[in-house]
Amino acid sequence: MLVPVVVAVLLSGCAGDGPNDSSGMSDGSGTAVDMKRQETAPTQRAELSAGAARAVVYTASMEVETKDVDAAVTRAKALVTQAGGHVANENATTEPVGASITFKIPAERYGTVLDGLSRRLGTRRALRQDAQDVTEAVADVESRVRSAEAALKSFRKLLDRAGTVTEVINVEREIAQRQSDLEALQAKRKALAEQTAFATVTVRIEPAAKAGSRPGGGFTGGLKSGWAAFVAVLSALTLALGWLLPFFGALLLIGAAAWLLSGRPRWWPRRRPAEARDLGGPDSGSRPAPPP
């Protein structure tokens, strides 16, 4: 029959396909369509890389010191929201006081917002930026998605022509695999689109250090740091001793109660008969002294 032959050809042509390598085909003229797609896919990727705007993933992290952490957090959120961004993650602590916020900022406003965050929040202590060009990856994933969709469409047409139960099972198994591959590629395409559309900026906001709170350099600074470490260790030991003292008291009371209830323990020293006579026992004067 014609269907088994077509199934064998399709399966052999798709043996090396996966989520990252899906080839297109169609019933009746699968070879011609596949050759045409293989010729046009690199051309499409080249055109996208050369003519379209570059797809770049921007990330940055910043450390800022300010007098009022809460006010700086409010200003940062307002600045990002006005630019069309949003908060992706936020963590705040009270001991030590500080906040860490991850923003998603539109890529076209990335530079302007980053400059505003650097100038309007407080004193910038550190700034790290990274830019990764993913234009070729975006074009490649887009081409693979189209190929996977075409292959899936071909298998569905082939399913209508299956004449036996075995043929139906084989084609349905291949359709399920192709559907899974297509969904994986679509998820990757969506993730790339989100990464290129929004820059990721993480801002760490901490309170400004008070004058004299930071140890200086040289011998004096080292002496202050050493004394602070000694006090910290001493405080920790005192805390541990205070924590264990109630347990020691409880154990002492339990031991005393056990000793009183059990009587004189075996390990308690006993007096010898000679020692009892020396101490004036009942038999110490009844016996005569031995003759000389």
Side-chain angles (χ1 to χ4, degrees), residues 51-284:
R54 309 297 298 180
V56 182
V57 178
Y58 296 101
T59 57
S61 62
M62 181 189 306
E63 296 180 6
V64 178
E65 285 188 353
T66 182
K67 295 181 180 179
D68 191 341
V69 174
D70 294 335
V73 170
T74 302
R75 288 195 300 270
K77 291 180 179 179
L79 185 62
V80 172
T81 303
Q82 292 173 1
H86 60 275
V87 177
N89 188 25
E90 180 178 0
N91 294 312
T93 58
T94 57
E95 187 59 37
V97 178
S100 179
I101 313 174
T102 300
F103 295 107
K104 291 293 185 178
I105 303 171
E108 62 274 10
R109 304 293 304 278
Y110 164 71
T112 303
V113 175
L114 188 64
D115 182 64
L117 293 173
S118 300
R119 292 185 294 102
R120 298 178 57 182
L121 300 185
T123 302
R124 190 184 69 188
R125 291 297 180 185
L127 175 61
R128 291 175 291 274
Q129 298 186 69
D130 181 68
Q132 182 180 3
D133 193 331
V134 293
T135 305
E136 294 184 0
V138 171
D140 183 70
V141 170
E142 186 65 32
S143 176
R144 293 177 188 276
V145 167
R146 288 195 296 266
S147 298
E149 291 173 344
L152 188 59
K153 183 178 180 181
S154 299
F155 275 106
R156 286 172 177 168
K157 290 182 179 180
L158 185 61
L159 182 62
D160 297 334
R161 298 168 54 185
T164 64
V165 176
T166 303
E167 293 174 354
V168 172
I169 293 175
N170 290 336
V171 176
E172 287 182 343
R173 184 185 299 113
E174 190 66 20
I175 288 176
Q177 180 63 42
R178 294 292 162 176
Q179 182 66 37
S180 176
D181 295 345
L182 176 60
E183 292 175 355
L185 288 170
Q186 289 173 339
K188 185 176 181 180
R189 179 177 63 179
K190 182 180 178 180
L192 283 173
E194 292 178 353
Q195 292 175 4
T196 55
F198 289 90
T200 302
V201 178
T202 301
V203 182
R204 175 65 186 175
I205 304 175
E206 298 177 350
K210 298 180 180 179
S213 61
R214 293 182 179 178
F219 176 78
T220 303
L223 184 61
K224 291 181 179 180
S225 299
W227 175 254
F230 173 75
V231 172
V233 172
L234 187 60
S235 300
L237 292 176
T238 304
L239 178 63
L241 181 60
W243 187 84
L244 293 174
L245 190 58
F247 294 93
F248 290 151
L251 292 176
L252 183 60
L253 292 176
I254 293 173
W259 183 80
L260 292 175
L261 293 176
S262 62
R264 187 169 55 184
R266 296 179 179 179
W267 51 266
W268 192 264
R270 299 178 180 270
R271 295 176 179 175
R272 298 179 181 178
E275 295 177 354
R277 290 194 298 266
D278 294 340
L279 294 175
D283 297 336
S284 59

